[in-house]
Amino acid sequence: MAAAAAAAGRAWGSRGMEAAAGSCRAPLPAWWGLLLALLLAGEGNSVERKIYIPLNKTAPCVRLLNATHQIGCQSSISGDTGVIHVVEKEEDLNWVLTDGPHPPYMILLDGSLFNRKVMLQLKGTSRVSGLAVAVAKPIPPQGFSPGLKCPNDGFGVYSKDYGPQFAHCNKTVWNPVGSGLSYEDFDFPIFLLEDANETQVIKQCYQDHNVPREGSVPEYPLCAMQLFSHMHAVTSTVTCMRRSSLQSTFSINPEVVCDPLLDYNVWSTLQPINSSGKVDPEKEVIIVATRIDSHSFFWNIAPGAESAVTSFVTHLAAAEALHKASDVHLLQRNIMFTFFQGETFDYIGSSRMVYDMEKDKFPLRLDNIHSFVELNQVALRNDSVLWMHTDPVSRMNKSVEARVTKNLLDILSNSSVGANVTLQEVGYSQPLPPSSFQRFLRARHIPGVVLTDHRTAFQNRYYQSMYDTPENVQMQYPEGLSPEEMLEYVTDTAKSLAEVATVVARALYRLAGGANDTSAIQADPKTVSRMLYGFLIKMNNSWFQSIVKPDIKGILGDDVPQHYVAVSNPVNTTYLVQYVLANLTGTVVNLTKEECLNPEKTPSSEREMYDYAWVQGSLDPNSTSRVPYCVRSTVHLTKALSPAFELRQWGSTEYSTWTESRWKEIRARIFLVASKELEIITLVVGIVILVVSLLATYFINAKADILFSLPRDPGAVAY
C-alpha cells in the first residue's frame, strides 16, 4: 500500500496518456497520494496507466561480445531512472555534469551531439543514469560513423605474416570518420527515439516541470525517464558461452545468456549444379559476391543503403541480366552469385563458406574457383568512376598476376567501353579494402577484384550508421506519388546502378568464356528501382508480396527495412534476397501446389539440381484473391555461423566470435517523480497505517465475542 501511495503521489493527473498527445498534465496534490492508493489499490494496471507514459518507438543499444571483451550498453536489473535534462548544445552538459541539483540525470541528447567526445564525457560520471538520443535532422553534414576506422581489423588477409605493411590499415585508413563508438562499453542504457512525436512529448514535459524559472532551481515533482535494458551476458563470448554450455549440461531448464550471431548465406549458380554433391574438380567457377548485412550503434537499426543495399541490388540486377542471355548454358565456366551475411562482424558468412569448402561440406572446393569479383559500395561514384582493387601481395606470383591483369582487369575495363561507367585500376601498391574476398585469399591465392566507388578512403560518410539511408545515396521521388507509383518510379540512382550491373554482367559473360556480342546483356533500371524501394523504403509492397511464399508473408512488415544480422532464423533481408533472386533468375514451371511443395515425387523435377517455391503471385485484377505459381531456381541457403562455434573455439583469433546478449525486457517510459522527502513521508505514513490496521484487527479479533455477540432475547425470563 505504501508503494502504491508513493506511486500515486507522483501521478500525472486523471489521464496520463493525454500528455502523449501533446502536453504534460500538472500533478495532483501530494496529499491525494494516500487517498488514491486506498481507492485504486485493486486497479494496479489502471494506476500504472495514469502514472506512466510508455515510449513505444525506441531502439536500444544492446550488449555484444567477442573473444576478448564486451561492447554496447545495459541498464541495472530493475531499470535505470533519472530526471530528464534536454541537451541541445554542448553548454547544456554543464547542468548535467556539475550544476544540476537533482542527479542522476536522464539526458535527451540532440542527434548532432551524439559523438565520441560527448559520449566519453558522459561515460566518466556517475551523474548520468541513461541517454535518449533524438535523430538529427538534417543528418550531420560532416558525416557520422560509429564504426571503426579500420573495419574488421585482424580478420582480413593482411597480418604480420602476409603483407605486414598493409596490416591494421597502415597504408590506408578506410573509414576516417569512424569514431569507434559502437565498440565502446557503456554501463548505462542508451535508447534511440525513432518517433518525433514522442521526442516532443518528452521535451514538453521537460519544459513544464524541469526548466528553472527565473533563475531558481526547479521544484518537485520533476519529469523523469526510466529505461529497461538489462543484459544477461557479461565479460566476453568465452565467459557467456561457457555459462550457457554449463546450464545446458546440468540444468533441466537451462538459461542461455548469449547467442552467436547467425544467419544464412544466399547463393545460386548460372548453370545448375548438384547442391548435395560435389562439382567436378576440373570445372571452373567464377564467384560474384557481396554482403547483405549492415550495423549501427542501435539494435536492429541498420538501413545500410550505401554499405550494403546498393551493392547487393546491383548484384541481383547483374544476375538477372546474365540469365536472360541466350547461350549461358553453353558457357565454358559456371558463375556463382553469392550473398554473404554477417560480414560486418569479422566476415561471418564468407569465413564459413571458405571453411565449408575446405572441409568438403559445400558443393564447390577452393580449387574450383577460377576468379572472384566482389561488389562493395558502388553508389557514390565521382565522375562515374568505379575503382578496381586487387591484392598486391598475391600479384607478386606471376601466374596470379597474369590472370588478374588479362582475365579480370582487361575484361572489366573493356566491358565498360561505351557505357556511362568508367572502370579504373587502383595503384599497384594499394591494398584491398575490407571485403569478403580477403577471407578467400587467406585460404588460397585466387585472382580477384573488388569494385568500389572509392579509390582510397570510403566515399560513404555514414558507414555503419543510422544515417546510411536512401537520402545518403540520393534516392529522390517527386512529391505526391502513391506507394505503388514510388515502387515503379525509376530514380536516377536506379539508372546509375543499372549501368554498373550491365558492365558487371557483360564482364562476367566474357570471363565465363562467352564469345557473342554482349550488347543484348542489359540490366533493367525498373527492376533496380523496385528493389531499391523494397529494400530501403517499404518491404510490404505489391511486388515483394507476389514473390514470397504464403507462409512467410509476415516478414513484410510496415517498418522501414533494416539489415542487421540475426541470432537464429533468417532475417527478412535473407528471405527477400532469396526470393528476389529466385524471381529474377528462376523459371515458372507448370506444377500443382502439391507437386511444387513435394518435387521429389515428380520424376522429372531434378530435385538435387533445383529448388522449388510455391509463391503467392499477384492479385487477380478481377478479384481480391491471388494467382499463385511455382518457381524453379538454383537458389540455396547455407548457414552463416562462424566456424568458431562449430569448433567450440570461443576464444578464436582466426574466426569471428561475436555473440549477442539475451535480455528479459526492453522498454522506456516517462513519469513525474516526487522528492525523496515526500516519498519517505508517504512510505512512513503507509507503514504507520499498516501497523495501526494490524493492531486494530488484532484487538477487534480478540474482543470479537464481546463486540459481535448477539443481544439477549428480552422475552426470556430466568426463574
Side-chain angles (χ1 to χ4, degrees):
M1 183 182 294
R10 49 181 192 266
W12 286 74
S14 62
R15 293 192 65 185
M17 286 307 293
E18 289 180 11
S23 64
C24 288
R25 297 287 301 272
L28 291 171
W31 57 268
W32 277 82
L34 179 59
L35 179 60
L36 281 175
L38 294 172
L39 293 175
L40 302 173
E43 301 180 22
N45 289 337
S46 178
V47 171
E48 181 173 347
R49 287 195 298 270
K50 289 173 167 58
I51 295 173
Y52 300 105
I53 291 182
L55 303 174
N56 298 316
K57 289 289 290 182
T58 61
C61 160
V62 304
R63 174 168 291 165
L64 300 173
L65 310 97
N66 66 8
T68 57
H69 60 287
Q70 64 186 30
I71 63 173
C73 323
Q74 77 154 355
S75 73
S76 61
I77 194 167
S78 57
D80 288 327
T81 304
V83 174
I84 294 172
H85 189 73
V86 176
V87 175
E88 295 179 327
K89 53 185 183 298
E90 286 200 43
E91 292 76 18
D92 296 337
L93 290 171
N94 294 332
W95 182 269
V96 173
L97 299 175
T98 55
D99 301 339
H102 304 121
Y105 285 95
M106 277 282 177
I107 298 175
L108 174 55
L109 186 69
D110 187 87
S112 61
L113 294 176
F114 186 52
N115 55 54
R116 185 175 183 85
K117 176 187 174 184
V118 170
M119 292 303 296
L120 292 186
Q121 279 183 275
L122 302 179
K123 185 178 179 180
T125 177
S126 60
R127 291 173 59 87
V128 174
S129 59
L131 204 66
V133 180
V135 177
K137 291 185 178 180
I139 62 178
Q142 73 277 13
F144 173 76
S145 172
L148 298 171
K149 292 183 183 296
C150 189
N152 291 354
D153 186 25
F155 290 86
V157 68
Y158 302 114
S159 65
K160 60 182 179 63
D161 301 318
Y162 188 98
Q165 69 273 29
F166 304 126
H168 312 299
C169 296
N170 287 333
K171 185 77 174 179
T172 304
V173 177
W174 295 106
N175 187 29
V177 298
S179 65
L181 203 57
S182 289
Y183 296 84
E184 292 287 335
D185 183 39
F186 296 92
D187 60 359
F188 53 78
I190 304 175
F191 278 52
L192 176 69
L193 300 173
E194 299 182 75
D195 189 339
N197 292 329
E198 289 187 342
T199 302
Q200 189 56 42
V201 167
I202 300 170
K203 288 184 177 180
Q204 187 62 52
C205 186
Y206 166 79
Q207 291 289 336
D208 291 348
H209 298 280
N210 295 11
V211 174
R213 306 296 179 188
E214 299 177 356
S216 62
V217 173
E219 297 182 357
Y220 286 100
L222 297 172
C223 191
M225 182 183 296
Q226 189 172 30
L227 302 178
F228 297 83
S229 62
H230 181 67
M231 300 288 129
H232 295 174
V234 295
T235 309
S236 67
T237 289
V238 176
T239 301
C240 79
M241 290 299 292
R242 184 175 65 243
R243 289 178 179 174
S244 297
S245 179
L246 288 172
Q247 284 271 349
S248 300
T249 303
F250 298 107
S251 175
I252 298 175
N253 298 308
E255 182 178 343
V256 176
V257 296
C258 69
D259 300 284
L261 294 183
L262 158 70
D263 208 87
Y264 291 83
N265 295 326
V266 183
W267 64 274
S268 74
T269 53
L270 191 62
Q271 301 164 355
I273 62 173
N274 188 338
S275 60
S276 59
K278 292 289 180 289
V279 173
D280 190 296
E282 303 301 319
K283 183 67 175 177
E284 293 183 319
V285 178
I286 300 162
I287 292 184
V288 194
T290 192
R291 66 176 61 190
I292 59 175
D293 68 299
S294 187
H295 180 44
S296 80
F297 185 88
F298 299 100
W299 183 76
N300 204 31
I301 299 295
E306 160 72 346
S307 60
V309 176
T310 53
S311 303
F312 72 70
V313 163
T314 304
H315 188 170
L316 288 164
E320 180 193 31
L322 260 177
H323 270 268
K324 288 180 177 178
S326 59
D327 61 337
V328 291
H329 61 287
L330 301 175
L331 293 178
Q332 177 186 349
R333 302 181 185 94
N334 204 347
I335 299 175
M336 186 169 87
F337 306 99
T338 313
F339 301 82
F340 292 122
Q341 261 287 13
E343 295 300 273
T344 302
F345 295 96
D346 299 336
Y347 306 118
I348 293 174
S350 55
S351 62
R352 179 54 186 262
M353 183 169 284
V354 171
Y355 174 82
D356 287 344
M357 287 180 176
E358 291 177 322
K359 302 298 180 182
D360 280 344
K361 297 180 179 180
F362 194 79
L364 268 66
R365 301 175 180 86
L366 290 171
D367 291 340
N368 290 117
I369 302 175
H370 170 268
S371 52
F372 198 104
V373 178
E374 181 170 354
L375 294 167
N376 187 343
Q377 299 192 71
V378 296
L380 301 177
R381 302 189 304 281
N382 283 333
D383 301 323
S384 297
V385 174
L386 208 59
W387 295 96
M388 300 182 290
H389 299 259
T390 56
D391 173 40
V393 179
S394 61
R395 287 181 67 178
M396 293 179 184
N397 181 300
K398 290 184 178 180
S399 64
V400 172
E401 164 64 14
R403 292 172 67 186
V404 167
T405 304
K406 186 174 293 186
N407 285 349
L408 282 171
L409 302 182
D410 288 351
I411 289 176
L412 281 164
S413 297
N414 293 335
S415 297
S416 67
V417 174
N420 291 327
V421 180
T422 303
L423 273 73
Q424 294 185 18
E425 183 183 358
V426 174
Y428 187 84
S429 60
Q430 177 80 16
L432 286 169
S435 52
S436 305
F437 179 43
Q438 292 200 32
R439 291 301 304 192
F440 285 80
L441 277 177
R442 283 177 73 128
R444 190 171 183 271
H445 281 180
I446 298 170
V449 62
V450 179
L451 303 178
T452 74
D453 56 20
H454 54 88
R455 181 174 185 175
T456 53
F458 294 163
Q459 295 274 72
N460 185 7
R461 292 173 294 140
Y462 305 99
Y463 183 75
Q464 291 186 6
S465 158
M466 58 185 170
Y467 301 117
D468 191 7
T469 59
E471 181 182 350
N472 186 33
V473 293
Q474 288 88 48
M475 274 183 64
Q476 297 177 340
Y477 294 91
E479 292 185 8
L481 294 184
S482 67
E484 196 65 26
E485 289 170 337
M486 291 176 70
L487 174 67
E488 302 296 336
Y489 182 79
V490 180
T491 62
D492 290 340
T493 303
K495 295 175 185 176
S496 174
L497 294 178
E499 290 169 353
V500 175
T502 297
V503 170
V504 171
R506 291 174 179 177
L508 291 173
Y509 176 81
R510 292 292 186 212
L511 283 170
N516 292 336
D517 180 38
T518 59
S519 60
I521 299 176
Q522 186 78 38
D524 183 3
K526 187 172 182 179
T527 301
V528 175
S529 274
R530 286 179 164 188
M531 290 190 285
L532 288 175
Y533 180 82
F535 285 112
L536 287 176
I537 297 176
K538 188 177 181 181
M539 283 186 171
N540 196 8
N541 60 72
S542 60
W543 186 47
F544 278 7
Q545 290 168 5
S546 70
I547 64 175
V548 299
K549 291 181 177 180
D551 57 338
I552 64 163
K553 62 183 179 182
I555 67 172
L556 302 175
D558 291 324
D559 294 333
V560 175
Q562 306 296 340
H563 308 289
Y564 174 68
V565 65
V567 294
S568 54
N569 292 325
V571 294
N572 299 359
T573 305
T574 303
Y575 273 131
L576 288 172
V577 168
Q578 176 189 8
Y579 288 109
V580 169
L581 183 59
N583 178 268
L584 298 180
T585 64
T587 305
V588 176
V589 291
N590 187 24
L591 294 178
T592 64
K593 180 179 179 180
E594 179 66 24
E595 292 171 334
C596 191
L597 295 176
N598 302 281
E600 65 279 358
K601 296 180 180 179
T602 305
S604 60
S605 66
E606 297 182 284
R607 184 68 180 88
E608 299 81 10
M609 311 291 282
Y610 296 101
D611 179 77
Y612 291 81
W614 184 259
V615 300
Q616 290 195 116
S618 302
L619 284 171
D620 189 328
N622 300 318
S623 71
T624 57
S625 61
R626 294 185 175 275
V627 183
Y629 56 91
C630 186
V631 175
R632 185 185 71 181
S633 71
T634 61
V635 180
H636 304 281
L637 298 182
T638 54
K639 188 173 288 188
L641 171 67
S642 172
F645 299 101
E646 292 280 318
L647 302 169
R648 296 178 67 87
Q649 295 176 358
W650 303 321
S652 173
T653 57
E654 169 72 12
Y655 299 112
S656 171
T657 55
W658 286 105
T659 54
E660 182 185 90
S661 173
R662 288 196 177 186
W663 57 81
K664 184 177 181 180
E665 62 176 346
I666 298 287
R667 60 190 175 102
R669 59 190 185 181
I670 61 174
F671 57 97
L672 294 183
V673 62
S675 66
K676 293 294 182 185
E677 293 78 5
L678 178 59
E679 289 183 335
I680 292 172
I681 291 171
T682 308
L683 177 63
V684 170
V685 170
I687 293 173
V688 169
I689 292 175
L690 176 63
V691 172
V692 170
S693 300
L694 291 174
L695 290 174
T697 303
Y698 172 76
F699 284 113
I700 290 172
N701 185 62
K703 302 296 183 180
D705 56 336
I706 298 174
L707 296 173
F708 304 111
S709 61
L710 295 173
R712 182 175 298 178
D713 186 356
V717 180
Y719 293 97

